[in-house]
Amino acid sequence: SEASFRINFGFDSDSGKVTIEGDSGYLITDSTIYAVSLATGDEQWQFSGEFSFLQRVTEGTVYIQDSPPSGSLKGLDPQMGEEELLIESELSATRVTSEAAYVVDNSGTISRFNNTNATEQWSTSYGQRAPNELNEIYEITDTAVYASVNGIPRKVDANTGEKIWSLASMSSRPRSA
């Protein structure tokens, strides 16, 4: 049989986002992440700080990104909530998968970092970011990263970082009739 329970956080928990991974649920509000046992409803830990959003929860890490201007990617131990700096850079876009963290920094570089030990696996530079240009990671597949770097949509090989195409380079190609 299934047990149900209500968790009382002392505030309106409808204002947060809930993510479930393994045996824990994570309630994310504007400034705090609460880890809760799904079996009992007991709070396991809470983390308060300035972060812009929760990136992802995997079996080994709760990923958060600092609020700008820092933008660093941090990991929280899912059992204890202890903070660890993973990638210290002025990140403007991040996306975490089960295997890697992909980031675009303010210098116009897209990089892939190993999820286990945060070592950089590859890095591809597109030059300095122009003011007000959008850096965003749209989608990641097994083979490709689709991102906007310096305001230009691009495709990069997810495993090697090799530049595959960008819309800026496509606009200079001859059009077929």
Side-chain angles (χ1 to χ4, degrees):
S1 76
E2 242 179 68
S4 72
F5 55 87
R6 178 171 167 78
I7 302 167
N8 184 358
F9 289 101
F11 60 88
D12 179 12
S13 61
D14 292 339
S15 63
K17 174 184 170 190
V18 175
T19 299
I20 294 175
E21 177 68 32
D23 298 340
S24 297
Y26 302 90
L27 174 70
I28 300 93
T29 67
D30 290 338
S31 61
T32 306
I33 298 173
Y34 299 89
V36 177
S37 166
L38 294 179
T40 65
D42 292 337
E43 182 179 314
Q44 297 170 314
W45 53 262
Q46 63 178 270
F47 172 83
S48 295
E50 292 188 28
F51 58 93
S52 56
F53 55 91
L54 177 88
Q55 263 298 322
R56 182 184 176 102
V57 179
T58 65
E59 192 173 304
T61 307
V62 177
Y63 294 92
I64 59 172
Q65 185 172 347
D66 276 350
S67 295
S70 156
S72 297
L73 186 65
K74 293 182 177 179
L76 303 177
D77 178 300
Q79 302 304 315
M80 305 299 293
E82 295 171 352
E83 179 182 352
E84 176 186 1
L85 179 64
L86 299 177
I87 303 167
E88 186 172 21
S89 185
E90 292 184 9
L91 305 178
S92 53
T94 60
R95 180 75 65 92
V96 179
T97 69
S98 60
E99 297 165 1
Y102 297 86
V103 301
V104 181
D105 66 23
N106 287 338
S107 70
T109 299
I110 185 169
S111 306
R112 175 183 163 137
F113 291 85
N114 180 296
N115 268 3
T116 307
N117 57 18
T119 56
E120 186 176 281
Q121 296 177 314
W122 55 256
S123 182
T124 302
S125 179
Y126 288 97
Q128 187 64 35
R129 178 177 166 198
N132 302 318
E133 291 295 343
L134 178 66
N135 284 342
E136 184 175 352
I137 298 175
Y138 301 124
E139 185 68 36
I140 299 170
T141 67
D142 290 341
T143 59
V145 178
Y146 298 89
S148 172
V149 181
N150 298 338
I152 300 171
R154 305 174 191 275
K155 179 181 179 183
V156 177
D157 185 290
N159 299 302
T160 66
E162 178 185 350
K163 297 175 181 179
I164 298 173
W165 56 254
S166 71
L167 289 186
S169 65
M170 294 180 126
S171 64
S172 62
R173 292 182 182 172
R175 296 181 181 218
S176 55

